[in-house]
C-alpha cells in the first residue's frame, strides 16, 4: 500500500534533518570523503571516455590517478612555494606601497594630503592594518588548515577515497537508482539528470575557466612586469566563478599596484589594464560560452548566498557542497514552480473546471450522427 503524501513528506523531512545534523557534527571528519567524492565526480567523464576508447574501468582509474598525482606533485613543488613567497611579500610591502601612494598624492594634490589631513592618516593606518591583519590572516588560514583539516590525513585519505569512488562510480549510481521509491522514480531521475547537468556545467566548466584565467592573468601580468603578478592572477582566477567579481577585484588590485609601480609610465599602466580587458573578452566570449554554457541556472547572487550560508554553518565542507546543493535547490524550485502553475491553486477553480470540461467533452467526430 502506498504511503500518503503527508507521511512521505514527514519521512524525507526527517532524513534531511538527520543529514544536516551529520554535516554539522562530523563536517571535519567527512572532509576527506567529500573531497574524494568531488574528485571522483569531476573525473568520472574522463574515465568514461577512456572506457569508450577500449580501456577497462580499473586501467582507466589507475591512469587518471597517476596523472592527477603527477600534476599535484608538480604543483606543490613548482607553484605553491612561489605563490606563498609572493603572498607574504605582498603583505609585507603594503606599508611601503601605501607610503609611495601617499607621496604621489602629496605631489599631485598637496592641499588634500596635508600631514594632519584625515586622508593621509587613513592611508597610513590602512597600510599598517593590512600588513598586520594580512599576516594574521595567513597564519590563521595555515594554522586552521593544519589543525582542522589535518594536511597529512588529507594527502593520504583523499586520493584513496577518490580512487575507489571513481572505480565504483557507475555501480554506485546504479545501486542508488535501484533504491529509488518506485512511484516517484521517473521524476527523481529527471530531476537528478537536470541537477547533474547543472552541477557538471558549473563545476567542471567553471573550474576549467578559473584555471585558464588564473594562468592567463598570472602570465600576462608577469610579462608586463608587474610585481606580485602570480598572486594577483591566482586571486583573480580563484574568484572568477562569480561573474565580473574576479576581474573587478583582480583588476582593481593590479591597477592599484601598477599605478604605484609604473607611475608616469602610462604605457605600462595601459598594458596592465589591457591584460584584464583582454581577459574579460576571452572569458565572456569564448571560455564561458564554450565550457559552461548559458543554461546553468545559478544566479551569482544565489551562489554567493549559498556559499556564505553553508560556509558559516558547516565550514569548509559546507562551501564544498554549497554549489551542488544550490543547483539542486534551484532545479527543485523550478520543478515546484511548474507543478504550481499546472495546479488549480494557480489557475483557480473556474479555470480548472473549464479545463476539465474541455477534456471530458466528446469530440464532434465522436458524437452519433442524428440522421442515423
Amino acid at each position: 500500500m502506498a504511503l500518503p503524501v503527508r507521511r512521505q513528506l514527514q519521512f524525507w523531512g526527517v532524513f534531511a534533518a538527520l543529514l544536516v545534523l551529520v554535516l554539522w557534527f562530523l563536517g571535519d571528519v567527512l572532509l576527506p570523503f567529500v573531497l574524494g567524492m568531488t574528485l571522483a565526480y569531476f573525473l568520472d567523464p574522463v574515465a568514461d571516455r577512456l572506457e569508450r576508447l577500449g580501456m577497462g574501468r580499473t586501467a582507466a582509474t589507475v591512469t587518471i590517478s597517476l596523472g592527477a598525482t603527477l600534476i599535484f606533485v608538480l604543483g606543490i613543488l613548482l607553484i605553491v612555494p612561489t605563490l606563498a613567497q609572493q603572498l607574504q611579500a605582498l603583505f609585507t610591502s603594503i606599508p611601503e606601497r601605501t607610503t609611495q601612494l601617499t607621496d604621489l598624492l602629496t605631489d599631485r594634490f598637496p592641499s588634500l594630503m596635508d600631514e594632519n589631513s584625515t586622508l593621509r592618516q587613513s592611508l597610513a593606518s590602512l597600510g599598517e592594518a593590512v600588513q598586520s591583519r594580512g599576516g594574521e590572516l595567513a597564519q590563521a588560514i595555515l594554522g586552521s588548515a593544519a589543525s582542522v583539516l589535518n594536511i597529512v590525513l588529507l594527502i593520504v585519505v583523499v586520493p584513496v577515497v577518490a580512487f575507489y569512488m571513481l572505480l565504483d562510480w557507475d555501480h554506485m549510481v546504479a545501486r542508488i537508482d535501484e533504491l529509488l521509491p518506485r512511484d516517484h522514480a521517473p521524476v527523481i531521475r529527471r530531476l537528478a539528470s537536470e541537477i547533474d547537468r547543472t552541477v557538471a556545467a558549473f563545476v567542471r566548466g567553471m573550474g576549467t575557466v578559473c584555471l585558464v584565467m588564473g594562468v592567463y592573468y598570472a602570465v600576462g601580468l608577469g610579462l608586463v612586469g608587474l610585481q606580485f603578478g602570480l598572486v594577483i592572477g591566482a586571486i583573480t582566477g580563484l574568484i572568477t566563478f562569480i561573474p565580473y567579481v574576479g576581474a573587478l577585484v583582480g583588476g582593481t588590485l593590479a591597477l592599484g599596484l601598477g599605478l604605484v609601480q609604473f607611475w608616469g609610465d602610462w604605457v605600462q599602466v595601459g598594458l596592465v589594464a589591457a591584460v584584464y580587458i583582454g581577459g574579460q573578452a576571452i572569458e565572456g566570449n569564448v571560455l564561458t560560452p564554450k565550457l559552461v554554457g548559458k543554461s546553468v541556472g545559478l544566479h551569482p547572487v544565489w551562489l554567493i548566498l549559498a556559499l556564505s550560508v553553508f560556509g558559516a554553518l558547516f565550514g569548509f565542507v559546507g562551501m564544498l557542497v554549497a554549489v551542488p546543493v544550490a543547483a539542486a535547490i534551484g532545479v527543485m524550485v523550478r520543478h515546484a514552480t511548474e507543478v504550481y502553475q499546472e495546479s488549480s491553486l494557480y489557475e483557480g477553480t473556474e479555470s480548472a473546471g473549464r479545463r476539465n470540461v474541455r477534456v471530458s467533452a466528446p469530440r464532434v467526430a465522436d458524437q452519433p450522427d442524428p440522421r442515423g
Side-chain angles (χ1 to χ4, degrees):
M1 182 178 65
L3 288 176
V5 175
R6 179 175 298 180
R7 186 67 176 173
Q8 294 182 37
L9 291 176
Q10 291 175 350
F11 174 81
W12 291 114
V14 171
F15 178 79
L18 290 176
L19 181 61
V20 170
L21 288 176
V22 169
L23 288 175
W24 180 277
F25 289 107
L26 301 178
D28 296 334
V29 177
L30 295 176
L31 179 58
F33 301 93
V34 174
L35 285 174
M37 182 182 296
T38 303
L39 287 175
Y41 174 79
F42 188 85
L43 296 172
D44 179 63
V46 181
D48 292 339
R49 180 168 297 184
L50 291 178
E51 282 188 286
R52 288 194 294 269
L53 293 176
M55 277 191 179
R57 186 70 181 191
T58 303
T61 304
V62 171
T63 302
I64 293 171
S65 301
L66 291 177
T69 302
L70 179 61
I71 293 173
F72 176 77
V73 171
L74 289 177
I76 291 294
L77 295 178
L78 300 178
I79 299 176
V80 173
T82 304
L83 186 63
Q85 182 180 2
Q86 283 204 8
L87 183 62
Q88 183 179 3
L90 176 62
F91 284 133
T92 305
S93 67
I94 290 295
E96 180 184 355
R97 302 294 178 181
T98 306
T99 302
Q100 293 178 2
L101 179 60
T102 303
D103 294 339
L104 290 174
L105 293 176
T106 301
D107 294 337
R108 300 301 185 274
F109 311 101
S111 60
L112 296 176
M113 295 301 298
D114 183 77
E115 292 185 359
N116 297 323
S117 68
T118 304
L119 181 58
R120 188 184 185 96
Q121 294 176 0
S122 299
L123 287 175
S125 60
L126 178 63
E128 296 174 358
V130 170
Q131 183 188 24
S132 60
R133 297 299 180 186
E136 293 176 3
L137 177 62
Q139 292 178 0
I141 293 174
L142 294 176
S144 62
S147 59
V148 177
L149 306 182
N150 197 337
I151 299 299
V152 176
L153 181 63
L154 286 177
I155 293 176
V156 173
V157 174
V158 170
V160 175
V161 174
F163 177 86
Y164 282 106
M165 296 202 74
L166 181 60
L167 182 64
D168 297 328
W169 188 267
D170 294 337
H171 298 291
M172 289 189 299
V173 173
R175 180 57 179 162
I176 292 173
D177 183 78
E178 292 176 359
L179 296 176
L180 294 178
R182 297 296 94 184
D183 290 343
H184 308 291
V187 176
I188 294 175
R189 291 191 189 104
R190 181 173 65 84
L191 294 178
S193 177
E194 188 174 348
I195 291 171
D196 176 66
R197 287 195 301 270
T198 302
V199 174
F202 190 86
V203 174
R204 298 186 185 120
M206 209 64 211
T208 306
V209 171
C210 291
L211 179 62
V212 172
M213 295 311 300
V215 173
Y216 165 82
Y217 286 122
V219 173
L221 295 176
L223 292 176
V224 169
L226 183 69
Q227 294 180 346
F228 313 115
L230 180 61
V231 172
I232 298 174
I235 294 173
T236 307
L238 187 64
I239 56 178
T240 296
F241 69 94
I242 307 176
Y244 305 109
V245 173
L248 180 62
V249 173
T252 302
L253 184 59
L255 282 176
L257 292 175
L259 285 173
V260 174
Q261 181 178 345
F262 303 123
W263 184 268
D265 189 352
W266 303 114
V267 174
Q268 291 294 108
V269 176
L271 289 175
V272 173
V275 169
Y276 275 86
I277 294 174
Q280 276 296 284
I282 295 172
E283 177 194 345
N285 298 320
V286 180
L287 293 179
T288 301
K290 295 287 186 181
L291 299 176
V292 180
K294 299 180 180 179
S295 59
V296 173
L298 284 177
H299 194 278
V301 175
W302 172 239
L303 183 63
I304 295 172
L305 177 63
L307 289 170
S308 302
V309 171
F310 280 86
L313 291 177
F314 307 114
F316 188 67
V317 175
M319 297 185 69
L320 285 177
V321 302
V323 171
V325 171
I329 293 175
V331 169
M332 288 187 289
V333 167
R334 289 193 291 271
H335 173 69
T337 303
E338 294 175 359
V339 173
Y340 162 70
Q341 289 181 323
E342 295 175 357
S343 67
S344 59
L345 182 63
Y346 171 76
E347 295 185 350
T349 56
E350 294 183 1
S351 298
R354 288 196 298 269
R355 184 177 61 185
N356 292 333
V357 168
R358 287 197 302 269
V359 172
S360 60
R363 293 179 300 175
V364 175
D366 296 334
Q367 295 179 358
D369 190 347
R371 293 172 298 180

